[in-house]
Amino acid sequence: DLMREALGLKELEAALKERLRVGRVVVVAGDSDRFPWVKKEMGRACVARMKERLQPGDVVAVAGGTTMAAVAEMMTPDPQLSGVLFVPARGGLGEDVENQANTICAKMAEKAAGRYRLLHVPDQLSDEAYASLVEEPAVKEVLELIQSCRMVVHGIGEAVTMAKRRRTPPSEMENIIARHAVAEAFGYYFNEQGDVVHKVKTVGIQLEHLPHVEHVIAVAGGASKAKAIRAYMKRAPHSLLVTDEGAAKALVGE
Ligand code: BG6
């Protein structure tokens, strides 16, 4: 903590909280846009906060993305995590396998020596196929576990970057751009005011559920995500934000 004080991180956290009007933020040193190891530092900080909040037997829903992959990588076993069950937050969002919530959830559970359940729901399904799939006992059971989670951990992305990465169809891409989306989190796209302007249709955690989840942790850094973080946090002032100095400095306008 003395080290963090010397680096001015405590001050930066206080300034960021005020600027974003959010209750809790953690800022790690560095800018993950410039140095990849900074993502791992956010991962380490996130894991520490998860361990403070989790109790044996809890269900944790995790989203996808490279930042969440870093959280999984930094996970270590802990008595506090005994019997914790990891589940993906939502079904397919069009990501490549290494960025999928299922992949990250399994890796995180393995590193934590915990358990996991996966959600096998393809990305592009007709309404009818969806309706019958969610009635399948194996799918239904995992969906119920997701609904019962005590914690959600997710990344925040820049909207157009995410839409491109997911190979979003042109018509949806047009909508995302026309409606000025700047942020993305677990398949929802937000404008600068934090309003939802587009949503990927899938099962699992929906935005409306978040206020009912006891602990929500958002992990996102890099100066390039400043706008996205600001927009998304308008929507989620009660979430804990784990970020880096690059994003924090851009946000407080240094
Ligand atoms: C997605 C998550 O997989 O990754 C989103 O569903 C998140 O919640 C996005 O916005 C961020 O990705 P990255 O690679 O920038 O951490």
Side-chain angles (χ1 to χ4, degrees):
D1 253 40
L2 271 179
M3 188 64 183
R4 289 169 49 76
E5 215 158 299
L7 290 169
L9 294 173
K10 289 275 169 201
E11 249 172 273
L12 196 50
E13 284 171 356
L16 186 57
K17 272 202 279 193
E18 206 174 291
R19 182 57 60 93
L20 295 179
R21 299 208 196 94
V22 301
R24 285 156 299 174
V25 303
V26 175
V27 178
V28 306
D31 182 346
S32 51
D33 284 345
R34 295 172 60 203
F35 306 106
W37 50 264
V38 178
K39 232 175 228 185
K40 290 188 192 171
E41 284 309 308
M42 286 193 284
R44 190 198 307 277
C46 178
V47 165
R49 296 325 183 282
M50 288 173 74
K51 288 180 179 177
E52 281 169 17
R53 288 165 173 80
L54 286 171
Q55 288 164 15
D58 279 349
V59 176
V60 186
V62 303
T66 59
T67 312
M68 285 304 302
V71 176
E73 199 178 325
M74 299 309 285
M75 182 55 78
T76 54
D78 193 279
Q80 218 38 41
L81 298 180
S82 74
V84 163
L85 178 69
F86 295 84
V87 292
R90 297 187 80 200
L93 296 173
E95 297 267 21
D96 288 336
V97 69
E98 70 273 17
N99 285 326
Q100 285 170 16
N102 267 342
T103 310
I104 288 159
C105 159
K107 186 174 175 193
M108 198 180 291
E110 200 178 302
K111 291 262 184 176
R115 299 173 300 137
Y116 66 88
R117 297 293 304 273
L118 301 181
L119 194 56
H120 299 291
V121 182
D123 288 355
Q124 310 283 343
L125 279 183
S126 66
D127 291 350
E128 302 78 53
Y130 248 121
S132 59
L133 193 62
V134 297
E135 290 306 321
E136 277 298 315
V139 173
K140 209 172 175 179
E141 193 196 331
V142 180
L143 288 176
E144 278 163 11
L145 285 168
I146 296 172
Q147 304 287 337
S148 76
C149 74
R150 258 193 86 227
M151 178 182 282
V152 174
V153 190
H154 68 87
I156 304 168
E158 191 280 315
V160 176
T161 306
M162 287 308 301
K164 283 187 185 149
R165 186 167 99 188
R166 290 171 172 158
R167 288 177 287 270
T168 304
S171 64
E172 288 179 39
M173 191 64 142
E174 268 166 37
N175 184 44
I176 288 167
I177 293 168
R179 301 193 65 193
H180 307 287
V182 297
E184 184 281 340
F186 43 88
Y188 287 82
Y189 290 81
F190 307 85
N191 65 16
E192 230 166 313
Q193 284 70 49
D195 304 319
V196 176
V197 294
H198 183 76
K199 166 185 181 184
V200 181
K201 203 179 116 205
T202 190
V203 292
I205 289 276
Q206 308 296 317
L207 192 59
E208 309 81 76
H209 298 148
L210 282 197
H212 307 289
V213 177
E214 210 169 320
H215 303 292
V216 185
I217 308 181
V219 197
S224 63
K225 283 191 183 179
K227 236 188 192 178
I229 293 170
R230 184 171 53 209
Y232 177 76
M233 291 309 286
K234 285 187 183 163
R235 190 69 199 225
H238 303 296
S239 297
L240 164 67
L241 171 66
V242 177
T243 188
D244 64 16
E245 217 180 333
K249 283 187 171 164
L251 282 163
V252 302
E254 266 184 41

